[in-house]
Amino acid sequence: MKLFFRLILISLIVLANFTFTGCSNKEEKKISHFNKGNAYFEQGEYKKAEIEFKNALQIDNRYIDALLKLGDTFMKLGQARQAFAAYSMVEKISPDNIEALVNIAKFYFLGRKMPETKARIEKILEKNPDNTDALFLKAQVLTRENQIDNAQKILIRLLEIQKDHIPSIQSLARLKTMQKQFDEAEALLKRAIEAAPEATQPRILLAAFYIARKDMAKAEEQLALSAEEHPDNEAHQIILGNFYLKTGNRAKAEESFKKALDISPDKVAPYMALAGFYEQINEDDKALELYRKAVGLDPENMKPKLTLARFQYKKRQVDDAEKMVQEILVKRPRLPDARMLQSEILIFKKEFQKALVMLIDLEKEEPNAYRIHYFKGLCHVGLGDPTQAAACVEKAVELKPTYTKAHLLLADIYFHQRSFDLAAQQASEVLKLSPDMVNALMIRANSLASMGKIKEAEKDYQAMIDAQPENPAGYYRMAQIKSAQKKIQEAETLLEKAYSINNKLLDVFGLRVRLSLAQKNFDRAHEICETQLHHNKDNKRIQAAVYNIQATIFLAEKKADQAVEAYQKAIETDPEYLLSYNALAQIFLVQKKMDQAKKQYIKVLEINPKLAPPHMMLGTIYEAEKNYPEAEKYYRKALSINPEFAAAANNLAYYLADRTDHYDEALTLAKKAKEHYPEDPNIMDTMGLAYYKKKLYGNAVAEFSDALKKQPDNPILHYHLGLAYEKKENKALAEKELETALELSKDFVYAQNAEQLLKELREK
């Protein structure tokens, strides 16, 4: 029996030793990971520090020291959300932990959550009335609440506790500045420099004070001293460079940024600063090279990658930008800035629904982010829902009343809804902020003109000319008004000025020709065409358009044969130019020369059957004769010879959408045509019709609206847009578009249909 008890005792001793050893090992491992994390943190290797602190917490998830340091590490990595979670976990485990309470209070203060901020501050001060962090935060809260006297009292008390508390000195200086006690503010900022001669911030804040007072000489002196006092700190050279850049001294700015790079060639910040400088002065190649070097220097740092992606996006290197964003999202799938840029890229690519889903997700996290609401508005514009678009953009304006892009977009939405008074009002809001913004002047002037307020519109067009005398738009718009007023000489003078600035603008050229035709000055009209052809020898699309207009001059002179020759020249010059085919077919139809024309093109094909344009022309003639099966056959033949023949793809797509149920093929063909000519309103119209027939009414509205921006006086486009709005059950907009179509022409091809639908809508 004694042996049995002895064995039991020995076993217990062994087990106890094993247990204590196991616990001891865990504790040692936990502390070892924590110490390693601290070492990495001190060396600035924050990703490695994060791993070690997390390893410690895997052993003990209530390890407060590790949680606090993990929160600090996340702050260094710029991951504020994760930092807040770490500090909040400490507060949950240890509600009276001062360090956690201070950090959480700071987060709530930055998030403008004052009750939560105050609760933490009071809890800290109950336990430690002299806690400088809590007192300083309390002063900031009082300042935000405009309790300036109470804030000053707190700051003075804080300085009695710690006379060299730099943030308090600086905050007190800021309050003195707000009260216009500038001498006292300056003295306080100088005191901060004396109190902490080794600190980097005080002298910079004194420079900022001088900048606000517009004393640039003193500001430059302080920033130069700051850089001199910290010769091994690249940040001071960067700050000095930014100062020079803002004050227009590019040479010194570049010199400072380069000095920063010389000081720290192994750090990301100098590369980013110098790249940003080159971007601002439009030296894009240098900027791109430096951004790429910054990315290569620290591949785990998402900020340079995001900056590079945005730079590429701004320079319309969209595929490169998207690739970079995808790389970022693989590592940081929830990074808001990356998701925001991805949504902008999707909008650029007209993938509006995908972008909208992403923006709605972002809105849940940041409901008061004005840019999110603005881009949601753009998505709804693209999806053909102007009512919802306006609501989103109005929210953006509400969140940031000075957001000019939002006001401009809202003005544009209202203008295209024909709510001209609201459009003018929004444009006026922009002009309060930026009196010379030409886009706002244009929208307001166009709105005023549409409301019949011609004199007010003229003032805005003149303001456009005064603001940008080398921009032809103001002269052209003013010429339109003078033309409508029959002030031909004034209109021609304005057009000559616009033409002298840019001789490639077809709208300016077109109005010059129309004015000559109105005076029956055919020789002058032809002369204008010949000059335009001379100036655009290398641009086939413009040459084709000129030949087309020249044909209309011949028609006005009743010279049909010469008009036919002009249209044929247009086709020879640019076989993709759609208008020439249809116009030529209409002449043959009027002249009743369809058979003769067909024989001509068939003869051409006998000589060379591999030519696509004659097949296209035969298709157009058969379509004009309403022989749609033959038209389809020739369009398909043209495409079999040249699958990229946009004109044939467009015409066939329109026929299939309008007269068959092959809507998928119609859409595919229309998309093919649009790939080649994304800005052609005829192709947009075909796309819109295909979407309409597929019951994708939002997409249809978007295409018809885009087409109308190019051809605002086209009754068929207004009719088609009215159809799409009617299907979207937007009765008011449908009526507006149908009314506009009929105002423009009482006898266009779909006029009877428009009248019937308008009547039905009014009876509802």
Side-chain angles (χ1 to χ4, degrees):
M1 184 66 75
K2 285 183 180 178
L3 180 61
F4 173 75
F5 280 113
R6 227 163 75 201
L7 289 169
I8 292 280
L9 184 59
I10 290 166
S11 298
L12 288 171
I13 290 167
V14 171
L15 181 62
N17 283 336
F18 177 78
T19 304
F20 288 133
T21 302
C23 289
S24 175
N25 284 341
K26 279 189 174 182
E27 187 67 20
E28 286 173 9
K29 282 184 180 178
K30 178 180 86 171
I31 292 169
S32 174
H33 284 304
F34 179 76
N35 289 336
K36 281 183 183 176
N38 262 336
Y40 283 132
F41 187 91
E42 293 303 319
Q43 293 164 16
E45 296 189 48
Y46 301 117
K47 289 302 292 183
K48 290 181 179 179
E50 177 190 350
I51 292 166
E52 293 300 335
F53 293 135
K54 284 181 174 178
N55 285 340
L57 288 164
Q58 278 187 334
I59 297 168
D60 178 2
N61 63 5
R62 297 172 68 83
Y63 188 7
I64 286 174
D65 288 346
L67 281 166
L68 287 169
K69 288 301 290 187
L70 183 61
D72 296 345
T73 304
F74 281 135
M75 289 300 293
K76 292 290 186 182
L77 290 168
Q79 298 176 25
R81 197 181 304 278
Q82 292 89 328
F84 180 74
Y87 297 135
S88 298
M89 182 61 73
V90 175
E91 185 185 32
K92 188 176 179 182
I93 297 166
S94 177
D96 295 329
N97 186 288
I98 299 294
E99 189 176 344
L101 288 170
V102 166
N103 282 308
I104 290 168
K106 288 176 182 176
F107 269 104
Y108 280 130
F109 178 75
L110 290 171
R112 298 181 177 272
K113 295 184 176 180
M114 292 301 112
E116 291 87 344
T117 308
K118 290 177 182 178
R120 270 77 181 178
I121 291 171
E122 295 311 317
K123 193 169 186 179
I124 297 165
L125 293 175
E126 277 176 22
K127 296 190 172 297
N128 182 0
D130 292 338
N131 184 285
T132 54
D133 287 327
L135 286 169
F136 183 67
L137 263 176
K138 187 170 184 178
Q140 287 183 293
V141 170
L142 291 167
T143 301
R144 183 167 285 180
E145 293 176 342
N146 207 30
Q147 297 184 46
I148 304 301
D149 290 341
N150 289 336
Q152 286 189 154
K153 287 175 185 175
I154 296 286
L155 292 168
I156 291 166
R157 183 188 158 201
L158 204 159
L159 289 169
E160 288 169 357
I161 298 167
Q162 184 182 333
K163 65 179 181 180
D164 62 347
H165 192 264
I166 304 303
S168 294
I169 298 172
Q170 292 164 345
S171 289
L172 199 53
R174 190 159 50 250
L175 293 179
K176 295 295 183 185
T177 302
M178 288 168 61
Q179 295 168 306
K180 301 191 185 309
Q181 297 172 12
F182 300 118
D183 291 343
E184 291 181 47
E186 185 179 10
L188 281 162
L189 290 167
K190 287 180 177 178
R191 173 182 161 186
I193 294 170
E194 291 166 9
E198 298 302 317
T200 59
Q201 195 181 35
R203 201 175 286 284
I204 289 166
L205 285 174
L206 179 57
F209 169 80
Y210 288 135
I211 290 169
R213 303 286 299 138
K214 296 188 173 9
D215 192 339
M216 297 304 170
K218 284 186 178 180
E220 182 181 357
E221 180 188 2
Q222 291 301 317
L223 291 173
L225 275 171
S226 178
E228 187 181 316
E229 289 166 355
H230 302 89
D232 299 328
N233 188 330
E234 76 288 344
H236 292 272
Q237 289 293 345
I238 292 171
I239 292 167
L240 185 58
N242 286 331
F243 169 80
Y244 285 132
L245 186 57
K246 285 178 182 175
T247 53
N249 193 333
R250 289 184 176 181
K252 282 195 173 183
E254 184 176 17
E255 182 184 340
S256 294
F257 292 133
K258 284 182 174 178
K259 278 183 184 176
L261 191 56
D262 290 338
I263 292 167
S264 299
D266 57 341
K267 289 186 180 178
V268 165
Y271 289 95
M272 298 297 289
L274 187 55
F277 166 75
Y278 285 130
E279 181 182 349
Q280 192 161 331
I281 65 170
N282 297 316
E283 293 196 25
D284 294 340
D285 291 341
K286 289 182 180 179
L288 183 60
E289 182 185 357
L290 287 159
Y291 281 137
R292 283 177 173 159
K293 283 182 178 178
V295 169
L297 203 62
D298 187 0
E300 297 302 312
N301 187 340
M302 297 300 121
K303 188 173 179 181
K305 285 187 172 183
L306 196 55
T307 306
L308 172 56
R310 187 159 284 286
F311 171 79
Q312 290 169 325
Y313 173 65
K314 281 194 289 188
K315 301 304 174 184
R316 291 299 177 254
Q317 300 166 12
V318 179
D319 291 340
D320 291 335
E322 188 166 30
K323 184 180 176 183
M324 183 63 70
V325 171
Q326 290 303 328
E327 284 181 25
I328 296 168
L329 291 172
V330 166
K331 295 198 172 184
R332 297 276 301 280
R334 300 298 298 169
L335 187 64
D337 287 344
R339 289 152 62 207
M340 188 70 215
L341 181 53
Q342 178 66 27
S343 72
E344 293 175 49
I345 291 170
L346 288 169
I347 290 170
F348 177 81
K349 294 170 70 176
K350 299 200 173 182
E351 296 181 32
F352 301 113
Q353 193 58 52
K354 285 184 184 177
L356 186 58
V357 169
M358 188 171 281
L359 289 163
I360 289 169
D361 188 37
L362 278 164
E363 186 187 1
K364 291 172 187 172
E365 298 170 19
E366 300 180 70
N368 293 324
Y370 61 90
R371 291 184 79 249
I372 291 174
H373 293 282
Y374 169 78
F375 283 103
K376 276 180 65 186
L378 279 179
C379 287
H380 285 298
V381 169
L383 291 169
D385 193 342
T387 304
Q388 192 62 40
C392 291
V393 184
E394 283 166 1
K395 182 66 177 176
V397 167
E398 178 190 324
L399 290 166
K400 189 175 182 182
T402 58
Y403 192 18
T404 55
K405 283 175 72 174
H407 283 294
L408 271 176
L409 178 57
L410 202 50
D412 191 58
I413 291 168
Y414 288 142
F415 184 82
H416 285 97
Q417 288 181 302
R418 303 181 71 78
S419 299
F420 300 122
D421 54 340
L422 294 176
Q425 181 184 327
Q426 287 301 317
S428 295
E429 290 299 317
V430 177
L431 292 167
K432 286 177 189 174
L433 300 165
S434 302
D436 293 333
M437 187 175 281
V438 167
N439 289 348
L441 286 166
M442 174 81 83
I443 291 176
R444 189 169 73 177
N446 291 348
S447 300
L448 291 167
S450 298
M451 290 188 286
K453 298 180 179 180
I454 303 302
K455 287 187 178 179
E456 293 175 55
E458 282 186 33
K459 285 180 184 176
D460 277 347
Y461 290 136
Q462 186 59 51
M464 285 174 63
I465 293 169
D466 295 340
Q468 290 186 0
E470 294 308 307
N471 184 340
Y475 301 102
Y476 171 68
R477 293 291 180 175
M478 186 76 91
Q480 283 184 308
I481 283 186
K482 299 300 181 184
S483 172
Q485 294 171 332
K486 308 296 184 191
K487 297 178 180 178
I488 305 300
Q489 188 57 54
E490 289 182 50
E492 285 184 338
T493 302
L494 289 159
L495 288 169
E496 288 296 333
K497 179 62 179 176
Y499 186 77
S500 71
I501 296 168
N502 186 344
N503 58 28
K504 298 187 186 305
L505 295 173
L506 286 176
D507 46 5
V508 172
F509 159 69
L511 184 52
R512 292 177 75 210
V513 170
R514 289 198 298 277
L515 288 176
S516 296
L517 289 178
Q519 300 171 80
K520 298 196 181 305
N521 190 342
F522 301 119
D523 290 341
R524 172 68 177 150
H526 284 300
E527 182 185 324
I528 291 168
C529 289
E530 292 303 323
T531 305
Q532 194 73 9
L533 287 168
H534 174 74
H535 285 307
N536 294 277
K537 290 176 181 176
D538 300 325
N539 191 320
K540 290 185 177 181
R541 175 51 57 102
I542 291 180
Q543 283 198 315
V546 174
Y547 284 127
N548 239 47
I549 289 175
Q550 202 164 36
T552 64
I553 301 169
F554 284 126
L555 288 173
E557 294 178 279
K558 298 187 174 6
K559 296 178 179 178
D561 290 343
Q562 287 166 279
V564 168
E565 287 177 18
Y567 283 129
Q568 286 173 333
K569 276 185 184 177
I571 291 169
E572 288 167 16
T573 304
D574 183 0
E576 300 281 5
Y577 194 63
L578 296 171
L579 295 177
S580 311
Y581 294 99
N582 296 324
L584 194 50
Q586 290 303 316
I587 291 180
F588 291 144
L589 187 62
V590 169
Q591 293 180 328
K592 298 181 181 178
K593 291 181 178 179
M594 288 299 194
D595 290 339
Q596 182 182 332
K598 281 184 280 190
K599 284 176 185 175
Q600 177 187 339
Y601 293 116
I602 289 168
K603 187 175 181 180
V604 171
L605 289 172
E606 285 172 358
I607 299 167
N608 187 351
K610 294 297 183 183
L611 291 175
H615 288 288
M616 172 70 192
M617 196 63 236
L618 284 164
T620 308
I621 291 171
Y622 280 119
E623 187 172 352
E625 290 182 320
K626 300 186 180 179
N627 187 342
Y628 301 112
E630 281 297 300
E632 179 184 0
K633 182 179 82 174
Y634 278 102
Y635 290 144
R636 290 192 184 279
K637 185 64 178 174
L639 284 169
S640 71
I641 295 167
N642 178 7
E644 303 304 313
F645 196 174
N650 178 74
N651 280 23
L652 179 56
Y654 195 94
Y655 160 68
L656 294 173
D658 194 36
R659 300 191 173 274
T660 76
D661 58 359
H662 299 163
Y663 307 138
D664 289 332
E665 186 185 4
L667 186 57
T668 300
L669 287 163
K671 284 180 177 178
K672 179 183 285 189
K674 195 169 183 181
E675 283 173 12
H676 292 278
Y677 296 99
E679 300 301 316
D680 191 309
N682 299 287
I683 294 172
M684 292 174 191
D685 184 36
T686 303
M687 284 273 288
L689 187 62
Y691 279 129
Y692 175 81
K693 291 299 182 76
K694 282 175 66 64
K695 300 184 179 178
L696 298 170
Y697 302 121
N699 295 48
V701 167
E703 292 295 336
F704 294 139
S705 298
D706 284 348
L708 277 167
K709 289 175 185 175
K710 307 285 183 183
Q711 292 183 352
D713 297 332
N714 186 322
I716 294 175
L717 289 174
H718 284 285
Y719 168 69
H720 281 160
L721 184 54
L723 290 181
Y725 277 135
E726 189 269 333
K727 289 296 184 184
K728 282 178 67 66
E729 298 183 357
N730 194 328
K731 180 173 175 286
L733 287 179
E735 286 183 13
K736 272 187 179 180
E737 294 302 327
L738 294 169
E739 286 166 358
T740 304
L742 291 166
E743 285 169 12
L744 290 166
S745 173
K746 294 289 185 186
D747 57 357
F748 74 100
V749 65
Y750 300 114
Q752 288 185 348
N753 297 16
E755 286 175 356
Q756 180 60 36
L757 181 55
L758 188 58
K759 181 181 176 184
E760 291 171 8
L761 287 170
R762 286 170 175 167
E763 290 173 354
K764 284 185 181 178

